[in-house]
C-alpha cells in the first residue's frame, strides 16, 4: 500500500485505541488503512477490535520486530550507564522494549510506502492528506512544538551534545514521537550500523533515558540528516495549531477541536496515564482536559455503553485526600 497510518497498542490502552480508530474513521476517512503494531503479546481485545474493522490490520510478526529490538538493544548497550541503571530497577533488556516496535514502519518490508505514526493516546481531528503530500518533499514530517522543550529529548548536560548538533538544530529540529510521518526504508542496515558506530564512539551520552525511543528516534533522524519539515515552524502563526492536551484554549465544535478558529490536526493526551482513561471508562467520575471529546470517540459506535456519572467529578490532578495520605504513610498503596 502507498499511504497508511500506524499506531502501537496492547490491551492496556484498548479504550484509547478504540477512540483513536473512531476519530480516524470520522475525521480522516473510513477507508484510510491503519496498522496496529502489537506492543507486546497482550492483545486479545485489540485483535478482536481489529477484526471488526475492514480498514485495520494487526502487525504481530516476531521476525520484523526482532531486528529492530536488537538494534535498540545495541543502542542502549553503547550508553555509559543505561543498561546497568535499568537492571538495578529490575528492567529486563532495556526500558520500554515494546515501544521500539514502532521502528518497524521504517523496515523495507513494511506495508506502507509513506506512513503517519500516531500514539494510541491521540485523536485525529481532520483529514491527513496534507501530511502525506508533504512527504513528497521531505522524508520526515512533524507537527508539534517539542523543540521548545529539548530536555525531554536529549541529555542537555552532556558535553557531547553541541559537538554533534548545532544549537540551531536543537532549537528547530526536535519533535515529539507521538506523531510523525515518514517513509519505509529511510534507515537501511548500513545506516543503522553507522549510527551504532557513532554511538559507541561516545555519542550515546546525549540520549535521554527517561524517554528512550523518543530520544533515539530524534538522534537517528538528526544524525542521519534525514530531510525534515515541521508544520508548526512553517505555517503562519495565524494558522498553526497546538496539539497537546495541556493547552486550555481549544474550542469544541461538534466534537472537533479548534485553536483560534483553526481546526486541529490531532489532539495528544500526553502525560495522562492509560489507567486514568480505563478508570473513567469503568465509571469513575474523574475529570481531565477534553474528557468529553475522548468519551465521544470511545463510545461512538456504542453510546449505550458510555458511563453515566452520578457523583461529583474529581479532578485527575487533585491532591490526595487526608485518608489517602494517612494510608500511604502506613505503607498501604492507594490508587487515586
Amino acid at each position: 500500500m502507498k499511504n497508511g497510518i500506524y499506531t502501537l497498542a496492547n490491551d492496556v490502552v484498548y479504550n484509547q485505541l478504540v477512540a483513536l480508530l473512531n476519530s480516524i474513521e470520522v475525521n480522516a476517512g473510513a477507508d484510510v488503512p491503519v496498522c496496529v503494531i502489537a506492543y507486546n503479546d497482550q492483545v486479545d481485545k485489540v485483535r478482536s477490535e481489529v477484526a471488526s474493522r475492514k480498514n485495520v490490520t494487526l502487525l504481530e510478526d516476531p521476525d520484523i520486530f526482532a531486528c529492530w529490538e536488537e538494534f535498540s538493544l545495541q543502542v542502549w548497550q553503547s550508553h555509559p550507564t543505561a543498561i546497568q541503571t535499568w537492571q538495578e530497577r529490575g528492567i529486563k533488556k532495556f526500558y520500554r522494549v515494546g515501544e521500539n516496535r514502532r521502528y518497524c514502519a521504517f523496515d523495507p518490508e513494511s506495508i506502507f510506502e509513506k506512513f503517519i505514526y500516531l500514539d494510541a493516546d491521540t485523536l485525529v481531528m481532520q483529514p491527513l492528506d496534507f501530511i502525506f503530500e508533504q512527504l513528497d518533499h521531505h522524508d520526515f514530517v512533524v507537527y508539534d512544538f517539542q523543540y521548545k522543550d529539548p530536555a525531554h529529548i536529549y541529555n542537555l548536560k552532556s558535553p557531547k551534545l553541541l559537538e554533534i548538533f548545532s544549537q540551531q538544530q536543537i532549537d528547530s529540529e526536535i519533535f515529539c514521537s507521538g506523531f510523525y510521518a515518514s517513509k519505509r526504508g529511510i534507515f537501511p542496515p548500513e545506516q543503522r550500523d553507522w549510527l551504532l558506530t557513532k554511538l559507541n564512539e561516545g555519542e550515546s551520552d546525549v540520549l535521554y533515558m527517561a524517554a528512550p525511543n523518543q530520544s533515539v528516534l530524534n538522534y537517528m533522524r538528526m544524525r542521519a540528516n534525514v530531510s525534515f519539515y515541521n508544520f508548526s515552524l512553517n505555517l503562519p502563526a495565524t494558522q498553526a495549531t497546538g496539539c497537546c492536551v495541556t493547552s486550555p484554549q481549544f474550542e469544541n465544535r461538534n466534537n472537533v477541536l479548534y485553536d483560534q478558529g483553526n481546526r486541529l490536526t490531532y489532539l495528544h493526551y500526553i502525560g495522562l496515564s492509560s489507567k486514568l482513561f480505563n478508570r473513567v471508562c469503568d465509571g469513575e467520575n474523574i475529570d481531565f482536559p477534553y474528557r468529553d471529546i475522548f468519551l465521544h470517540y470511545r463510545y461512538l459506535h456504542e453510546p449505550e455503553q458510555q458511563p453515566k456519572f452520578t457523583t461529583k467529578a474529581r479532578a485527575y490532578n487533585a491532591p490526595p485526600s487526608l485518608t489517602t495520605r494517612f494510608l500511604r504513610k502506613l505503607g498501604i498503596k492507594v490508587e487515586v
Side-chain angles (χ1 to χ4, degrees), residues 7 29-30 132 149 160 174 178 197 204 211 227 235 280 282 286 325:
T7 189
F132 285 115
D149 183 20
K160 284 279 186 181
I174 280 170
T197 297
S204 60
S227 60
L235 287 174
V280 169
D282 286 340
I286 307 171
R325 294 198 299 269

Side-chain angles (χ1 to χ4, degrees), residues 8-12 37-43 60 65 98 101:
L8 182 69
N10 64 4
D11 288 349
V12 174
I37 302 168
Y39 182 89
N40 55 22
D41 295 335
Q42 190 182 347
V43 289
E60 45 183 340
F65 296 152
R101 291 184 173 187

Side-chain angles (χ1 to χ4, degrees), residues 130-257:
F130 74 104
I131 304 287
F132 285 115
E133 288 167 4
Q134 192 60 42
L135 287 173
D136 291 336
H137 310 288
H138 297 85
D139 289 334
F140 217 101
V141 177
V142 304
Y143 194 168
D144 66 58
F145 295 85
Q146 186 67 50
Y147 59 85
K148 295 183 178 182
D149 183 20
H152 284 85
I153 304 296
Y154 290 123
N155 171 17
L156 300 186
K157 295 180 180 179
S158 173
K160 284 279 186 181
L161 188 58
L162 290 178
E163 295 177 14
I164 304 168
F165 305 122
S166 69
Q167 189 62 55
Q168 191 276 333
Q169 286 179 290
I170 294 169
D171 291 341
S172 64
E173 295 188 23
I174 280 170
F175 64 94
C176 172
S177 64
F179 177 98
Y180 55 89
S182 191
K183 304 171 184 176
R184 67 185 177 199
I186 67 167
F187 295 114
E190 58 273 17
Q191 190 173 70
R192 300 200 298 270
D193 290 342
W194 178 79
L195 289 168
L196 286 171
T197 297
K198 305 310 290 184
L199 289 164
N200 278 296
E201 289 175 355
E203 293 188 6
S204 60
D205 187 57
V206 307
L207 299 179
Y208 177 61
M209 289 174 53
N213 289 283
Q214 178 165 269
S215 184
V216 171
L217 189 55
N218 271 268
Y219 172 85
M220 289 168 64
R221 194 223 59 81
M222 289 174 66
R223 197 66 174 95
N225 200 29
V226 174
S227 60
F228 181 77
Y229 186 91
N230 188 341
F231 278 96
S232 69
L233 286 168
N234 287 278
L235 287 174
T238 55
Q239 296 179 22
T241 69
C243 59
C244 186
V245 72
T246 55
S247 301
Q249 77 274 13
F250 301 149
E251 178 189 359
N252 183 354
R253 302 183 192 170
N254 297 319
N255 297 301
V256 172
L257 293 177

Side-chain angles (χ1 to χ4, degrees), residues 1 108 115 150 237 245:
M1 297 182 208
F115 67 86
V245 72

Side-chain angles (χ1 to χ4, degrees), residues 10-202:
N10 64 4
D11 288 349
V12 174
V13 297
Y14 171 77
N15 288 307
Q16 292 158 285
L17 173 65
V18 172
L20 170 59
L21 294 177
N22 287 339
S23 74
I24 293 171
E25 175 188 329
V26 173
N27 297 322
D31 296 323
V32 174
V34 180
C35 177
V36 180
I37 302 168
Y39 182 89
N40 55 22
D41 295 335
Q42 190 182 347
V43 289
D44 290 341
K45 291 195 290 186
V46 170
R47 192 178 292 114
S48 177
E49 182 66 29
V50 166
S52 71
R53 296 174 182 260
K54 62 182 177 63
N55 64 314
V56 184
T57 57
L58 177 63
L59 177 61
E60 45 183 340
D61 182 351
D63 292 334
I64 198 170
F65 296 152
C67 69
W68 293 99
E69 184 174 318
E70 178 60 26
F71 170 71
S72 297
L73 177 60
Q74 290 183 48
V75 166
W76 289 106
Q77 285 175 333
S78 73
H79 190 273
T81 61
I83 296 295
Q84 180 180 347
T85 299
W86 290 330
Q87 285 180 343
E88 290 172 353
R89 292 168 54 189
I91 296 171
K92 296 180 180 179
K93 283 197 173 181
F94 54 92
Y95 186 42
R96 295 179 176 172
V97 174
E99 286 191 3
N100 81 88
R101 291 184 173 187
R102 75 185 69 193
Y103 300 153
C104 71
F106 299 113
D107 198 278
E109 302 301 319
S110 65
I111 61 174
F112 300 134
E113 179 183 335
K114 298 176 182 177
F115 67 86
I116 295 171
Y117 172 84
L118 286 152
D119 273 350
D121 62 341
T122 56
L123 296 175
V124 172
M125 291 285 121
Q126 68 164 298
L128 301 174
D129 297 347
F130 74 104
I131 304 287
F132 285 115
E133 288 167 4
Q134 192 60 42
L135 287 173
D136 291 336
H137 310 288
H138 297 85
D139 289 334
F140 217 101
V141 177
V142 304
Y143 194 168
D144 66 58
F145 295 85
Q146 186 67 50
Y147 59 85
K148 295 183 178 182
D149 183 20
H152 284 85
I153 304 296
Y154 290 123
N155 171 17
L156 300 186
K157 295 180 180 179
S158 173
K160 284 279 186 181
L161 188 58
L162 290 178
E163 295 177 14
I164 304 168
F165 305 122
S166 69
Q167 189 62 55
Q168 191 276 333
Q169 286 179 290
I170 294 169
D171 291 341
S172 64
E173 295 188 23
I174 280 170
F175 64 94
C176 172
S177 64
F179 177 98
Y180 55 89
S182 191
K183 304 171 184 176
R184 67 185 177 199
I186 67 167
F187 295 114
E190 58 273 17
Q191 190 173 70
R192 300 200 298 270
D193 290 342
W194 178 79
L195 289 168
L196 286 171
T197 297
K198 305 310 290 184
L199 289 164
N200 278 296
E201 289 175 355

